[in-house]
């Protein structure tokens, strides 16, 4: 199975900061990568699909990039509402990364 | 409104059984791949099973093969997960989720675009 590794595990940043989360696949997955945000006690919410396509209704400060084995999720200007845990997911057998917890300083 | 509502979670003893259900509304259920995803307390996400629109294409993760069975009733807009021989490590919130498709082409987006709120399954003696 393809393994997904996210970094960092935890991230603490200030409101307005540019934040980047990385997801690496153990083998090439082309652009079949999605990103989700999960707030405490809630279901995950889709942010990005096919590596860089923004899901409808998601703020434009979120963006995704990458292909092959390395991908990034960027929040251009961190907002208080962005706290939560972020997961990447690849399409082949739907493997998820272990998550990155984003905290607001 | 597009919606998924899970039900059936409960406290059950090891070795017991449960049947989870997921009621879909607001979209043409019979045309979508559907999944069950679980999350153990304080842990990450794990896709447990998924099923194609017609019910013939099925996948179960290795850890539940032979114990869990996904099914669907398109006439009732419902997805199910039959869980047998439950283990303590099956304790988790179980989410029902829809695989998104491109509006113009109908091809997969490779992502789960609609999620239910989840139902808690606790396996403990």
């Amino acid at each position: 199975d393809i393994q997904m590794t996210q970094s960092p595990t935890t991230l603490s940043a200030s409101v307005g900061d540019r934040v980047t989360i990385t997801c690496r696949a153990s083998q090439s997955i082309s652009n079949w990568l999605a990103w989700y945000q999960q707030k405490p006690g809630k279901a995950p919410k889709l942010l990005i699909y096919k590596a860089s396509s923004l899901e409808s209704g998601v703020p434009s400060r979120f963006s995704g990039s990458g292909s092959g084995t390395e991908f990034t999720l960027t929040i251009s200007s961190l907002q208080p509402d962005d706290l939560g845990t972020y997961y990447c997911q690849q399409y082949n057998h739907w493997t998820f990364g272990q998550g990155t917890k984003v905290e607001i300083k | 409104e597009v919606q998924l509502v899970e039900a059936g979670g409960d406290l059950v003893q090891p070795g017991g059984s449960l049947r989870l259900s997921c009621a879909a509304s607001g979209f043409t259920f019979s045309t979508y791949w559907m999944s069950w995803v679980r999350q153990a307390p304080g842990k990450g996400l794990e896709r447990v099973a998924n099923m194609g629109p017609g019910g013939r294409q099925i996948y179960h993760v290795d850890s539940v093969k032979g114990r869990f069975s996904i099914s669907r009733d398109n006439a009732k807009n419902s997805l199910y997960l039959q869980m047998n021989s439950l283990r303590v490590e099956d304790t988790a919130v179980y989410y029902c989720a829809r695989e998104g498709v491109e509006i113009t082409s109908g091809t997969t987006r490779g992502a789960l675009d609609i999620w239910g709120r989840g139902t808690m399954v606790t396996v403990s003696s």
Side-chain angles (χ1 to χ4, degrees), chain B residues 21-32:
Chain B
S21 63
C22 170
S25 59
F27 64 99
T28 307
F29 176 77
S30 62
T31 64
Y32 285 86

Side-chain angles (χ1 to χ4, degrees), chain B residues 49-69:
Chain B
N50 70 341
M51 175 172 269
R56 295 181 180 179
Q57 295 159 293
I58 297 173
Y59 170 84
H60 295 90
V61 71
D62 284 348
S63 59
V64 308
K65 280 181 181 176
R67 301 188 300 121
F68 291 11
S69 179

Side-chain angles (χ1 to χ4, degrees), chain B residues 35-54:
Chain B
S35 291
W36 287 102
V37 177
R38 69 183 177 183
Q39 186 170 36
K43 302 297 184 182
L45 300 166
E46 179 185 38
R47 198 272 304 264
V48 173
N50 70 341
M51 175 172 269

